[in-house]
Every structure is written in structure tokens, then in C-alpha cells.
Amino acid sequence: MKSLILQTYKTTIFFLLVNAVAFSLDFDMKRELARLALLDTFPDNPGFYNVQGIDYYKKKLKNATSPSEKYFNHFDLAYQYLCSGYIDSALAQYEKVPSQMWDNAFRSSPEEFDKYMYLALCHLRKGEQQNCQENHNQFSCILPLVEDAYHIDNIGSLKAIEYYKKSLERYPKNYKAKWLLNIAYMTIGKYPDSVPTQHYINFKKFPQYEDLSYFTNLGSELGVDTYTFYGGSITEDFNNDGFQDIFTTSTDLETNVSYYISDGLGGYVDNTLDAGLKGITGGSHCLQADFNNDGFIDIYIVRGGWLKKKAGEKHPNSLLKNNGDGTFSDVTHQTGLLAYYASHTACWADFNNDGWLDLFVGNENGASQLFENKNGFFMDVSKSTRLYIEDLVKGSFWGDYNKDGLQDLFVSVSGGKNYLMMNKGKNVDGVYTFSNTSRFAGVTEPINSFPCFFFDFNNDTFLDLFVSSYPMSIPLLSEQYFHSIRNTEYSSLYINNGDGTFQDFAKKANLNRSIESMGLNFGDIDNDGWLDFYVGTGFPSLDAIIPNILFRNKDGRSFQEVMNAGFGHLQKGHGISFSDLDNDGDQDVYHSVGGFVKMDAFWNILLENPGNVNNWVTLQFEGVKSNRSAIGTEVTIYSDGMEGKRKMFRVVGTGGSYGSSSLQQEVGLGANNIITSIEVYWPASKKMQRFFDIKPNNFYHIQENHNKIKLVKRKKLVLGNYNKRPQKNSHKHH
């Protein structure tokens, strides 16, 4: 006992000393980000294609001593030009590579080193640049391409078609060429009639669901279509006015974050400058929580993912404190969170149930970190808690999978077995510790994985687990559309057995496919009471022109793959956020759209939910002894009606990788119109609340220490100018 008291005393003294020092030091995040943006990081990251790479390979070409070195530099320089958007220069460099070298490379790898494929890609991207990037509209690049999305200047696509045909004459099994050939024909309105029979993809074979109406992209109309590289997104009510706001990032340090607040009339106002966010740049991922329990939602920004060690260490993450007056302040250093790693994921949870949200940060170039929140100041306790992971971490998610009232952590890694870190609670010294139970639980795979999340797939109140595969193969992904799939790793849907173990249900659930997912999040898109998920296919390669996909949950038994209804966007997909932006009871989707390089930058989209006939309820939670955000709080909704007795289980949180959905729980009831009861469990206080006589299709507020549920009036909005909204087949590119 004495040793424990002494240890606690030492920890307290250390905390106070560190806290005092941190607050006394002068650190300006905006100044630091501006300095870092000027650094030449390309030599440290030859795989990170940007404008700096052009000068780098020009110098290498100038200093090349052998013909082989010279010609390889031509090849590398060409791709730098292409990634930077200088397509004519890229074509010129590809033509300087001798035919003999092309032929030798083709014989060794016909899927990857065909001259015609590179020339075709240049022209296909040039067509996209001229028509979709420079003159985009709300239907640009969304499968199936409608007339509004056809290219007016079709020269680029026509040349691409010519080269893809030549490539397929040499290598008929090139599924990547087949796929892109079909896309090229679509862009000029010549699909399906002009597609050669032997290369034709019949998209009518893919499910088209008449009961799911078209989700219209209102990003441009509402002025929230930020032009970015890949990044994160948040939908949340940051100013507590009853309307959902939007926050989004771009991974490059030259691009400022964007903060849009609802005007309460159906539009949005760019409040970035007024919020004091000018100079806050970068961010591959962002997520929100009330870290200091003051009633205002704060923001954490993750930076440095994909960068190699030296450059990645130059990119610190950020904690933005919501000041409650419409502004934010960077408090990273003051709160003990300043660190220089290449981070790719982070997630909030109160792992020790002390009422303060803790933070896990997954790093790529060093040990990941678990920060314990001590009254608003953070201390790295990853070693003392045995949550010390040195693998290349890509995804992470908290969840109480074994129902012991403690938050456990799942961590996905690239090139190794994944981690399920079970929270064991306090040891004999009073320290919370974790143990890797992934092998016992049966959740070690896929070996190459990326986003992951806990959710209740079948509404049995046990958390299931989805882990997305990341095979890094465009030919393989293309093959799937021709129903010719080689052996590969698939994504895993692990169903919770209720005894600490899981079984992979992916095949039975129609998920035995490769996705190449980066962005991933879940929500109930049709209010049927079953959680769906939306995949952003963000593979960095420029020939990865793969549609983002909605997977629709069918009664907790399987998923339907949906590429229509506005979800099949061909641009890279990353931050995805589900939220009821117009207070009409159904979830809209904000999506950060953009890739790894300049040529892949694009405009973000906002997909408005057209509505459905199902009922719903929206619940906002306020912790008292538990964390104010109520993250980790469990809610079970019991309903009755046309579908008989049902229950829906949800856990308060922000969702999956890159995107962060609203903390309010937006729960569909299906056709049931009676809520018989709502049960709320608060892990920190171990308090169970039960509420009765709740009317559906309303908003409610639930406080931890209050035994009555509060009806909240919310103004329903009409997003944008509905009467002047362009219809599906009325506008072309200009």
C-alpha cells in the first residue's frame, strides 16, 4: 500500500512539473506548420510524388552517366510530371524511353510495364483534367456516368481508348486495361454500344436498387466542396446551435483546413478565418471530442501518414481547443501532445473510466502512443499500460467487445498480424494494462489491412468487427468486375461469439472481395435499423480509378454492394462522415474526395439523403461522471410495430477511418412506429437508465444524472436552393 501511495505521489508531482513547464514554453503551431511547409522533403520520400520531384529527377537525369540510368530517369521524371498535372511533359518523357527498354519491361511484367498503358493513362487523365477538374459539376465522376458527366472535350478519352485497345491486343488478360477502357467509353457517352464485346463490362449485372433513391451531390451548391488532396472530415455541432457543421482537412501542409458552419437556413458559411484557423494546415485524418469536458467539441488532427521516417517526424499532430466563442486555439503543446511522428490514425476513449477522454495515436515510424488524460493534460502511458505497438499502424478503434465495462482497442497494421488489445483493468499496482488477445479471439487477419471499426452488425448487443483488406493491386481489383478473381486477402467481418472469440462471416455476408479501402465509415443510410458502411477506395496510384462503394446491410445477414444512387464516385475516397445535416431524420454523407498527388486533387462532395418511409429517433448524450462527450456510452432501443419486436444497439462514437460522424446517435427504426423503451449504460458510473413513452421521429437529450429524457426541438432545413437546383440530366460541362 505504501509503495502504491508513493507511486501515486510521484506521478502527481511529475504531472504538475511537466504541466507547468509545458505551459511556460513558447510554441506556435501555425508558425511551425509554415516552416515545415517550406522544407524539401522529397529526397526523403521518393515515392511521394509532387512538384519537388520534377526538379529532383531533372537533376538526376542531368547527372546520369549510363544510358540505362538516363532512360530510367526519363521514366521516373515522366511519372513526376503526370502526378503533378503536367501531362504533355509526361508524354514527352515517356517517348524518350527506348522501345527496347519498354519491351524488356513488358516481358517481365506485362500488367505493369506496357508503354501503351502509360500513354493511355496520360490521355485519360488529361481528359479528366480538362473536363472534370477544371469544369466539374455535381455529377462528375459518379458511376454510372450520366449525360451531365460526359466529357465535352473528348480527345483525351478517345486517345486513351486507342492505346488501351493496343495494350489488349498485346496482352488480352490485362484486366486493368479492360476496366479503364470501359470507363473511357463511359466518359464520352459511348458505353455500352461501342465497347468491344470481348472487353465489355455489363454494369447491369451489378445490383441496382430501386428502393434507394438518388443521393444528390450538393457540395458545390452549398459551397462546401473544398478542393483538396486526401484528408479527413468531421460533421458535428461545434457551436451548440442545433445544426451540424463541417470540418475538413487536406494532407499537404500548403492547404488550410476548412470550417463551415450551418447558417440555420439550409446553407453554410465558411468560418475558417473568423474561427482563428488560418495557418492550421495539413491533416490526413481528423476526429472530434470534448477533451476537457467544458461542453464544447474539440478537434484532433493527424498528420504525416505515408511519409518516410525522416520527413514524417517533421509533421506534428494538432489538438484544437474549442473556445466556446466561435474560435479554436491550438493547444497541442500546452496539453502534452506535441510529438513528431508519421501518424495515420487516432481514436478517443476513456480507457480507465475516470471521466476524461484518453487518446490512442497510431504511428507508422515509431511506437504508437496511448495518452492518458489527466484533467485536460496528457501523458504517454503506452509502456506502463503495455499498449506499446511498434508495427506500421494503419487503423484503430475502441470498443468493449467482451462487455466488461472497459474499452478495448483493435489496431490494424500493414504487413503483419493485427492487434486486439483487451483492457484488463487495474493490476495489483493500480495501473490499467492491456493484453493482446487477437490470436485467441481469431482476429489477426487480414495481414495487409487498413481501416477497421467495431459495430453491431446484427443488433445482438455484442460488438462485431470489420477489418478492410488492402491488397495494393489494381489489376486484382479490376478483375473483380469481370468475375475473375485470383486468390488474395479479403476483408474480414468478424462476428462476436459472445465468449471473447469471433468468427469471420465475410463470405456469408457477401463481403468476400478486395476493396482497397482507405476511407471507411458506417451509418444507417436508409433508417432500417441496420448499420451500413461506405468505402472510399483511396489507393494512391493514378490508374486506381475505382468507384467508392456503399455496402447496405440487409437484416443483419448480409450486405448488398451499391454503386448507383450517387455513391459510385470514381475519385479517391477518404474522410467519410455520416450525419443528419438538415434535421430531417435521415443521414446525409460528407465525403473528402481527393488523392495523394496534385493530379488526384478533387472537390469534396456532400450527398443529400433523399429520404425514406422509415421511422427514426436521434439521441444526444451528455456525460456527468462519464466523459462529457459520452464516448463509449451504450444505448439499446426497443421498438415494436409492423416488423414486430426489435432492438437496435449503438455505442456513442465518431465512426471509422479518416471520417468522423456526429456524436449524436441517429438511429433508424425501420417500419416500427413504437419505441417501447430506451436503455442507456454509462461505463464510468456503471449507471443504467431506462426511458419509456418515447415518440419516434424526434430529437432527445439524455444526461447521465437525470432520470428524465428531454425532448429537443430542432428546425428542419432545406439544403441549398431547392427550387433552383439542377436536375439530373440538365447540365453539362462548360
Side-chain angles (χ1 to χ4, degrees):
M1 179 61 71
K2 288 183 178 180
S3 64
L4 178 58
I5 294 173
L6 182 62
Q7 181 181 351
T8 303
Y9 174 77
K10 289 180 177 178
T11 301
T12 303
I13 295 298
F14 176 78
F15 159 72
L16 292 172
L17 289 172
V18 173
N19 197 1
V21 172
F23 276 92
S24 68
L25 295 176
D26 180 28
F27 179 85
D28 187 330
M29 180 61 77
K30 295 179 180 180
R31 184 177 60 209
E32 178 72 345
L33 293 173
R35 181 185 71 83
L36 296 172
L38 297 175
L39 296 180
D40 183 0
T41 61
F42 181 84
D44 301 328
N45 297 277
F48 188 69
Y49 301 102
N50 53 35
V51 177
Q52 294 172 331
I54 294 174
D55 292 333
Y56 177 79
Y57 279 109
K58 277 184 175 179
K59 291 176 182 177
K60 287 196 69 176
L61 183 61
K62 186 178 180 180
N63 297 325
T65 56
S66 68
S68 175
E69 184 183 5
K70 181 178 179 180
Y71 292 129
F72 277 121
N73 284 332
H74 278 304
F75 183 88
D76 291 331
L77 179 58
Y79 202 67
Q80 295 296 330
Y81 275 125
L82 177 57
C83 290
S84 301
Y86 302 113
I87 298 176
D88 289 336
S89 298
L91 287 166
Q93 292 299 320
Y94 280 132
E95 291 294 348
K96 293 180 181 179
V97 179
S99 299
Q100 185 180 354
M101 292 192 67
W102 280 116
D103 293 339
N104 292 338
F106 176 78
R107 282 191 290 270
S108 64
S109 181
E111 288 184 334
E112 297 296 330
F113 293 104
D114 184 352
K115 179 179 181 179
Y116 296 134
M117 291 292 292
Y118 285 93
L119 297 178
L121 179 62
C122 286
H123 288 293
L124 188 65
R125 285 294 194 165
K126 189 173 184 177
E128 175 196 312
Q129 186 181 65
Q130 295 171 333
N131 294 273
C132 304
Q133 287 189 336
E134 296 175 1
N135 300 288
H136 83 292
N137 63 37
Q138 66 186 122
F139 301 106
S140 297
C141 302
I142 298 177
L143 286 182
L145 297 183
V146 296
E147 185 180 354
D148 306 83
Y150 295 164
H151 292 183
I152 299 300
D153 186 345
N154 60 13
I155 295 176
S157 291
L158 288 172
K159 285 186 174 292
I161 288 169
E162 176 187 343
Y163 284 122
Y164 284 129
K165 285 181 175 179
K166 289 183 178 181
S167 178
L168 287 164
E169 288 176 4
R170 299 178 69 186
Y171 185 60
K173 294 184 179 181
N174 190 339
Y175 286 98
K176 180 167 62 175
K178 289 174 180 278
W179 166 258
L180 294 173
L181 179 68
N182 280 263
I183 297 297
Y185 274 114
M186 283 188 192
T187 64
I188 59 175
K190 298 291 183 130
Y191 173 92
D193 296 341
S194 298
V195 182
T197 304
Q198 66 272 32
H199 307 312
Y200 168 62
I201 302 174
N202 186 1
F203 278 92
K204 292 183 178 180
K205 289 184 177 180
F206 292 88
Q208 306 291 317
Y209 302 108
E210 300 297 331
D211 59 330
L212 193 63
S213 300
Y214 194 86
F215 283 62
T216 303
N217 175 20
L218 299 183
S220 179
E221 182 180 341
L222 294 171
V224 296
D225 58 336
T226 314
Y227 186 78
T228 64
F229 295 89
Y230 81 90
S233 68
I234 302 172
T235 47
E236 187 60 79
D237 182 6
F238 287 107
N239 54 6
N240 294 342
D241 65 351
F243 303 105
Q244 298 291 300
D245 310 306
I246 297 170
F247 182 89
T248 184
T249 66
S250 178
T251 191
D252 64 302
L253 292 181
E254 289 76 25
T255 302
N256 210 93
V257 302
S258 294
Y259 175 49
Y260 305 101
I261 59 172
S262 172
D263 62 4
L265 301 172
Y268 283 88
V269 176
D270 189 341
N271 209 49
T272 309
L273 293 177
D274 290 344
L277 294 171
K278 178 67 175 179
I280 300 297
T281 60
S284 59
H285 180 32
C286 53
L287 62 162
Q288 78 276 26
D290 185 358
F291 84 93
N292 56 357
N293 291 330
D294 67 350
F296 296 96
I297 302 297
D298 314 294
I299 298 171
Y300 188 74
I301 300 175
V302 175
R303 299 187 181 94
W306 292 109
L307 299 179
K308 290 192 174 182
K309 185 174 182 179
K310 187 176 179 181
E313 287 177 346
K314 301 172 183 176
H315 288 207
N317 300 334
S318 280
L319 177 61
L320 304 180
K321 177 181 176 292
N322 188 335
N323 298 317
D325 59 0
T327 67
F328 292 82
S329 298
D330 192 293
V331 295
T332 313
H333 194 232
Q334 299 96 306
T335 56
L337 286 174
L338 183 63
Y340 289 78
Y341 289 98
S343 305
H344 219 133
T345 181
C347 47
W348 296 98
D350 182 7
F351 77 85
N352 54 9
N353 284 334
D354 65 351
W356 295 87
L357 283 172
D358 313 297
L359 179 66
F360 174 81
V361 181
N363 299 318
E364 295 184 338
N365 65 328
S368 295
Q369 298 156 294
L370 176 61
F371 291 101
E372 183 181 0
N373 188 341
K374 295 286 191 180
N375 300 318
F377 186 85
F378 294 87
M379 299 177 63
D380 188 346
V381 295
S382 50
K383 286 188 177 181
S384 62
T385 59
R386 299 180 182 177
L387 213 164
Y388 192 76
I389 299 173
E390 294 186 283
D391 293 85
L392 201 159
V393 173
K394 288 296 187 180
S396 60
F397 210 92
W398 292 98
D400 181 12
Y401 79 94
N402 55 0
K403 286 189 165 297
D404 63 353
L406 299 171
Q407 295 297 306
D408 313 295
L409 179 69
F410 184 84
V411 177
S412 70
V413 302
S414 177
K417 294 182 178 180
N418 301 318
Y419 293 81
L420 178 58
M421 304 302 293
M422 182 182 69
N423 190 336
K424 298 172 66 176
K426 290 182 181 180
N427 62 15
V428 294
D429 295 321
V431 179
Y432 281 80
T433 60
F434 292 82
S435 175
N436 185 10
T437 61
S438 57
R439 184 175 180 182
F440 170 78
V443 295
T444 58
E445 297 179 348
I447 298 300
N448 288 300
S449 56
F450 212 115
C452 55
F453 57 84
F454 282 112
F455 76 137
D456 189 0
F457 159 67
N458 50 14
N459 281 328
D460 65 352
T461 74
F462 285 91
L463 287 178
D464 309 302
L465 176 64
F466 181 79
V467 190
S468 177
S469 65
Y470 197 68
M472 295 180 285
S473 172
I474 304 306
L476 185 147
L477 293 173
S478 302
E479 283 184 32
Q480 296 177 128
Y481 296 98
F482 295 87
H483 306 285
S484 176
I485 306 174
R486 289 174 286 182
N487 291 329
T488 185
E489 277 196 315
Y490 298 122
S491 300
S492 292
L493 174 63
Y494 292 113
I495 300 299
N496 196 326
N497 295 321
D499 59 0
T501 67
F502 296 78
Q503 59 176 318
D504 195 344
F505 197 72
K507 187 174 183 179
K508 292 181 179 179
N510 196 35
L511 291 176
N512 56 323
R513 73 186 312 285
S514 295
I515 300 176
E516 208 75 78
S517 169
M518 283 193 192
L520 184 66
N521 215 334
F522 60 90
D524 184 2
I525 206 70
D526 50 7
N527 279 345
D528 65 352
W530 304 99
L531 287 172
D532 319 297
F533 66 93
Y534 185 33
V535 174
T537 52
F539 189 70
S541 176
L542 282 178
D543 55 5
I545 305 175
I546 305 295
N548 301 299
I549 304 169
L550 173 71
F551 287 93
R552 196 177 179 195
N553 191 334
K554 300 306 293 181
D555 303 324
R557 295 192 299 267
S558 65
F559 285 94
Q560 292 177 332
E561 183 178 328
V562 180
M563 277 196 300
N564 64 335
F567 287 99
H569 209 294
L570 285 169
Q571 297 293 332
K572 305 292 193 297
H574 292 86
I576 298 168
S577 301
F578 288 77
S579 189
D580 183 5
L581 298 175
D582 46 8
N583 287 340
D584 64 352
D586 51 46
Q587 291 185 314
D588 312 291
V589 179
Y590 187 81
H591 191 184
S592 174
V593 181
F596 196 55
V597 297
K598 182 179 179 180
M599 189 61 229
D600 255 347
F602 209 75
W603 285 266
N604 294 349
I605 63 174
L606 190 159
L607 299 176
E608 182 192 26
N609 195 320
N612 50 75
V613 298
N614 291 324
N615 297 302
W616 53 273
V617 65
T618 296
L619 305 172
Q620 186 179 33
F621 298 88
E622 179 184 343
V624 179
K625 184 176 181 180
S626 302
N627 66 88
R628 183 75 176 261
S629 302
I631 289 175
T633 299
E634 301 175 355
V635 55
T636 308
I637 299 172
Y638 297 88
S639 69
D640 204 346
M642 292 182 62
E643 299 178 13
K645 297 183 183 299
R646 290 187 60 189
K647 62 182 177 184
M648 279 67 72
F649 180 74
R650 302 289 185 268
V651 181
V652 179
T654 59
S657 176
Y658 287 112
S660 292
S661 302
S662 173
L663 286 166
Q664 67 181 19
Q665 295 302 291
E666 300 153 348
V667 185
L669 304 173
N672 282 359
N673 60 351
I674 299 171
I675 300 175
T676 54
S677 66
I678 294 179
E679 291 181 353
V680 180
Y681 177 71
W682 302 85
S685 63
K686 296 181 171 55
K687 183 174 183 178
M688 176 70 79
Q689 296 173 312
R690 292 181 175 87
F691 305 100
F692 304 92
D693 301 321
I694 299 107
K695 295 182 179 180
N697 306 323
N698 281 297
F699 298 83
Y700 294 92
H701 180 270
I702 298 174
Q703 191 183 68
E704 185 175 8
N705 65 350
H706 205 286
N707 292 324
K708 290 186 178 181
I709 190 169
K710 180 182 178 182
L711 177 66
V712 179
K713 296 294 184 181
R714 294 274 182 88
K715 178 183 177 182
K716 183 179 177 180
L717 305 176
V718 177
L719 296 179
N721 191 334
Y722 186 83
N723 293 325
K724 294 184 178 181
R725 187 172 302 169
Q727 299 301 305
K728 190 173 177 179
N729 292 306
S730 63
H731 286 71
K732 296 182 180 182
H733 296 295
H734 300 287

